[in-house]
Amino acid sequence: MTNKPKNGNGSEIFEPAAEIVKNANVQEYEKLYKKSIEDREGFWAEQAENLDWFKKWDKVLDDSNKPFYKWFVNGKINIVYNAIDRHLKTWRKNKLAIIWEGEPGDVRTYSYHALDREVTRFANVLKSMGTKKGDIVTIYMPQIPELVFAMLACAKIGAAHSVVYGGFSVEALAERIEDANSKVLITADGGYRRGKIIDLKNIANEAMKRSPTIEVCITVKRTGHEVFMENDRDFWYHDLISIPFANNKCETEIMDAEDMLFILYTSGTTGRPKGVLHTHGGYAVYTATTHKMVFDIKDDDRWWCAADPGWITGHSYIVYGPLINGSTIMMYEGAPNHPYPNRWWQMIEKYGVTILYTSPTAIRGLMRFGEAWINRHDISSLRLLGSVGEPINPEAWKWYFKEVGKEKCPIMDTWWQTESGGFMITPLPITPLKPGSATKPFFGNEVAVVNNKGEEVKVGEEGKLVIKSPWPGMARTIYKAPDRFVETYWKEFEKQGWYKAGDSARIDKDGYVWIIGRIDDVIKVSGYRLGSAEIESALVSHDSVSEAAAIGLPHELKGNAIHAFVILKAGLKHNKELEKELKEHVKNEIGAIAKPEAINFVETLPKTRSGKIMRRVLKAQALGQDVGDLSTLDD
Ligand code: PRX
């Protein structure tokens, strides 16, 4: 049976198919949602029971020091014990944990037993390097299995990881290493992307020159091209893990539920990226529960989250949530259209993938090549689809639903953030869907759309999205910057105690949430999160630039594209050459995703009297819109 569109309340509704409803892990939403709000702690305690604890918690939620909430107080746990160790005692020991395909076509698979062996070896190596509880190890790698081993090895011994996306470049990596004060860096010689080698080790070498905290750099040999290795600092991964002690047993460290699991740097409104901090207990419960309920995870599923582990989506839904649930996860190293646009469909067919979770940008990109590429393959194994990272336009939604899902796979459009740890507003497989809406809050979450005074706006009106209640997966703080944590998310609605998401949204008369987009200086480019300030500081670090402003403007494929406005140093003239050079400069400093689409050379920038660039004025001008209130504009 297929989902049938029908017209209700002005927008199309896709009702779930009977078979999906019949077999779904969660059979009913409204009643359970109500229950989860009335007894939030009870709901989360029940979910936490599905995990293995060394010692149970004394109290589910401690809200005595808002907004620094604590979950599962005094509980003892390790997320790796749940993601690996406990499966070894069951039949899942021999179940496939990871199916990985490299871009050149090489394939590796790991059972849970094999995953344990790899993680244990790496954990022993890290320990022998002096890595211990509380340290932060920076990981800068392509999408290869060793990236997952590295993350899990850190967590197993109680160290925290800070994964820097492999698409980032020198300055982005250097500032993250420095902020985390990492002594150990794990990288690879390179990775494959669209048939080319990305030279990660050389970028890492440059970054280590800029941030000298690194004492040990461990390099995985992936591409085999020549790279510079410094004596006494650089070691090959394969050499280290073949030292006999690496095979010794390694006990999984007993952690407090509130101990740091990782930090992940993400862009904010101002200044440098911030290290969003997540913990072992609450994050484990939240990612596992949301993954299992929203994607209806069954033991015979083959789950493919086609994100990169370097972003929160990969942390929560390639690595932790799925492994805790004992799923078989699919990973692919490279580009979706390499060597041809059928690459994904080919892999779905080959491995029998049952659930695909990706971004609107990827969907739009593949849509451009047409469905003929899909139709060369039997992708009937798919039963559910997902979308994340930016609003999905109804046209892309419908294409995804029809051509990929063959009108039988519901699309889970999940709204969430690095800070939220896991899905916040999302359908379940049983939810009637409206293309472009993330539908309703997940269990335990109360959300609202409000005006600047904190009053709920009328049905259908746009306003600020807030979350009114705490949840176990929430970020605990910003690393070394608790004030910034309070300032960024909690200050504006301090009186009410609400979390400000930074997005605008509207809620329709059926209670469906429609996300509109960021209302701060965060720019979502192809679903990747960048900050105006980072791009501006990269531009200003170029010799010819005196001042710069960066904004996001709508882009058909990428959602948004970066447009920069640059004032050159006195006496300099702009030309095509310089424009190209500046674009390359941003790419080399931050990464290809930050490369501006266009650079406009200007004489002045609109600023407030206190000297803050008014980016919204630039944006309104570029879009030919009303520039709004200019009372704070200087001159
Ligand atoms: O603007 C929202 C958008 O992505 C932002 C969070 O970005 P990041 O921390 O990088 O996490 C992305 C992956 C979870 C949000 O503030 N966003 C994320 N998912 C959606 C979305 N916008 C609309 N619909 C979504 N499903």
Side-chain angles (χ1 to χ4, degrees):
M1 190 179 159
T2 58
N3 291 15
K4 290 232 164 58
K6 75 171 189 215
N7 283 323
N9 292 326
S11 60
E12 255 176 311
I13 299 187
F14 290 73
E15 296 287 348
E19 306 88 284
I20 287 170
V21 176
K22 193 170 84 204
N23 297 315
N25 288 345
V26 183
Q27 287 287 324
E28 207 280 331
Y29 173 77
E30 300 294 341
K31 256 195 240 138
L32 187 53
Y33 177 73
K34 192 161 170 273
K35 212 172 131 212
S36 75
I37 300 301
E38 284 162 3
D39 180 16
R40 182 170 297 113
E41 292 181 41
F43 175 82
W44 285 115
E46 200 180 318
Q47 305 313 317
E49 293 285 350
N50 294 327
L51 270 66
D52 282 22
W53 297 78
F54 299 119
K55 177 187 163 286
K56 287 271 164 67
W57 55 92
D58 298 332
K59 197 170 185 296
V60 177
L61 173 66
D62 174 359
D63 59 1
S64 60
N65 183 26
K66 290 174 189 170
F68 300 96
Y69 294 89
K70 288 187 178 139
W71 284 86
F72 307 108
V73 182
N74 292 330
K76 302 290 172 201
I77 191 170
N78 188 309
I79 200 165
V80 174
Y81 190 89
N82 284 280
I84 303 178
D85 305 27
R86 66 168 179 167
H87 301 312
L88 306 178
K89 295 183 230 157
T90 70
W91 66 270
R92 289 198 191 90
K93 178 178 179 177
N94 294 317
K95 179 177 174 176
L96 279 187
I98 301 177
I99 302 172
W100 173 86
E101 190 167 302
E103 198 188 71
D106 43 339
V107 177
R108 287 197 263 157
T109 56
Y110 297 87
S111 63
Y112 275 89
H113 171 78
L115 178 62
D116 178 55
R117 186 186 61 222
E118 299 299 335
V119 171
T120 296
R121 281 157 104 187
F122 205 2
N124 280 325
V125 166
L126 287 174
K127 260 188 175 169
S128 76
M129 297 285 181
T131 304
K132 52 183 192 317
K133 202 166 166 169
D135 289 353
I136 303 176
V137 173
T138 297
I139 302 176
Y140 177 63
M141 289 173 94
Q143 196 171 161
I144 54 178
E146 286 81 359
L147 168 51
V148 179
F149 306 159
M151 291 166 74
L152 295 167
C154 289
K156 186 175 172 74
I157 63 171
H161 52 72
S162 163
V163 181
V164 179
Y165 168 57
F168 276 130
S169 196
V170 182
E171 185 53 29
L173 176 59
E175 67 182 11
R176 284 161 174 79
I177 291 174
E178 198 171 308
D179 191 74
N181 197 21
S182 283
K183 294 188 189 64
V184 176
L185 172 66
I186 305 167
T187 187
D189 53 354
Y192 293 98
R193 188 81 192 173
R194 262 182 210 99
K196 284 203 207 109
I197 289 177
I198 311 286
D199 206 345
L200 294 179
K201 176 65 170 129
N202 281 332
I203 295 172
N205 286 342
E206 281 306 306
M208 284 190 279
K209 278 189 207 153
R210 291 191 199 180
S211 61
T213 60
I214 299 294
E215 292 165 11
V216 171
C217 174
I218 302 173
T219 304
V220 176
K221 193 173 260 187
R222 164 75 185 126
T223 51
H225 70 290
E226 199 163 333
V227 292
F228 172 75
M229 301 281 281
E230 188 176 290
N231 261 347
D232 297 334
R233 183 195 69 187
D234 285 332
F235 301 88
W236 287 107
Y237 171 82
H238 59 263
D239 287 339
L240 296 173
I241 58 160
S242 35
I243 303 173
F245 76 81
N247 287 314
N248 293 352
K249 200 169 159 41
C250 176
E251 288 300 338
T252 302
E253 197 75 26
I254 296 176
M255 306 295 284
D256 189 271
E258 283 294 310
D259 277 339
M260 169 166 67
L261 169 63
F262 66 82
I263 55 172
L264 184 58
Y265 285 89
T266 192
S267 302
T269 294
T270 51
R272 292 179 148 208
K274 41 190 193 237
V276 172
L277 191 149
H278 286 284
T279 57
H280 272 258
Y283 177 81
V285 173
Y286 201 74
T287 53
T289 307
T290 47
H291 179 243
K292 188 160 194 160
M293 290 187 168
V294 173
F295 282 100
D296 194 42
I297 298 302
K298 305 286 196 310
D299 246 321
D300 56 357
D301 272 317
R302 289 201 159 175
W303 160 256
W304 186 10
C305 166
D308 190 286
W311 299 90
I312 192 67
T313 309
H315 279 55
S316 301
Y317 299 110
I318 294 179
V319 183
Y320 290 112
L323 292 178
I324 296 171
N325 288 331
S327 303
T328 298
I329 63 179
M330 163 79 202
M331 280 174 73
Y332 166 58
E333 178 187 27
N337 56 348
H338 187 84
Y340 300 107
N342 65 330
R343 185 66 189 263
W344 275 20
W345 321 124
Q346 192 179 39
M347 287 187 292
I348 290 170
E349 179 176 28
K350 181 171 169 192
Y351 301 110
V353 171
T354 57
I355 310 171
L356 174 67
Y357 182 43
T358 184
S359 66
T361 289
I363 297 160
R364 288 192 292 262
L366 290 162
M367 189 170 133
R368 212 171 38 147
F369 295 113
E371 44 283 359
W373 291 103
I374 303 180
N375 296 337
R376 291 160 67 152
H377 300 278
D378 174 4
I379 57 166
S380 58
S381 56
L382 286 174
R383 65 181 192 92
L384 272 173
L385 300 171
S387 173
V388 62
E390 48 182 322
I392 180 164
N393 47 313
E395 195 197 353
W397 194 100
K398 285 182 196 162
W399 184 84
Y400 194 29
F401 183 70
K402 179 162 183 270
E403 305 300 342
V404 182
K406 313 293 181 203
E407 297 184 337
K408 70 177 171 66
C409 308
I411 300 175
M412 302 298 107
D413 179 358
T414 59
W415 177 86
W416 59 295
Q417 308 178 302
T418 307
E419 295 86 345
S420 79
F423 311 147
M424 296 302 290
I425 302 174
T426 174
L428 298 168
I430 56 167
T431 308
L433 302 172
K434 299 187 189 185
S437 168
T439 76
K440 300 203 173 183
F442 187 72
F443 301 118
N445 298 335
E446 285 169 275
V447 307
V449 172
V450 301
N451 62 21
N452 290 340
K453 287 189 229 145
E455 299 155 347
E456 289 200 21
V457 299
K458 291 203 198 85
V459 166
E461 262 177 32
E462 184 175 343
K464 291 179 174 172
L465 180 65
V466 295
I467 298 156
K468 294 167 140 185
S469 48
W471 65 102
M474 67 201 302
R476 297 302 191 264
T477 188
I478 294 174
Y479 183 61
K480 293 196 304 202
D483 296 347
R484 206 173 156 198
F485 179 68
V486 175
E487 179 65 38
T488 311
Y489 309 106
W490 303 95
K491 195 85 198 166
E492 185 167 352
F493 300 108
E494 193 178 18
K495 211 169 67 216
Q496 299 90 336
W498 298 341
Y499 170 89
K500 181 182 75 177
D503 278 326
S504 66
R506 57 190 178 84
I507 299 181
D508 72 14
K509 55 177 175 288
D510 298 326
Y512 278 53
V513 183
W514 298 76
I515 307 291
I516 297 162
R518 298 292 307 191
I519 33 175
D520 51 9
D521 291 315
V522 167
I523 312 175
K524 296 289 287 190
V525 181
S526 302
Y528 296 122
R529 179 163 162 181
L530 295 163
S532 296
E534 292 157 78
I535 298 156
E536 290 159 6
S537 97
L539 282 165
V540 174
S541 74
H542 189 278
D543 284 343
S544 348
V545 177
S546 139
E547 280 187 79
I551 58 168
L553 292 178
H555 185 278
E556 207 181 324
L557 209 60
K558 302 177 185 171
N560 297 288
I562 293 161
H563 289 250
F565 297 81
V566 164
I567 304 179
L568 292 177
K569 284 191 180 149
L572 293 178
K573 288 247 163 349
H574 66 81
N575 52 39
K576 279 267 162 255
E577 220 72 321
L578 183 59
E579 182 179 342
K580 204 168 148 214
E581 192 178 313
L582 291 179
K583 285 182 181 174
E584 283 304 305
H585 179 71
V586 177
K587 181 178 158 192
N588 294 335
E589 289 293 300
I590 309 180
I593 48 168
K595 189 173 161 180
E597 186 85 3
I599 294 187
N600 304 283
F601 294 94
V602 294
E603 299 293 325
T604 53
L605 287 168
K607 283 188 193 159
T608 61
R609 263 168 241 125
S610 58
K612 237 181 111 209
I613 297 171
M614 294 177 83
R615 300 187 186 100
R616 72 169 174 84
V617 173
L618 288 170
K619 194 164 173 174
Q621 273 178 339
L623 295 172
Q625 292 169 349
D626 178 17
V627 290
D629 178 13
L630 290 180
S631 57
T632 57
L633 185 73
D634 185 27
D635 207 358

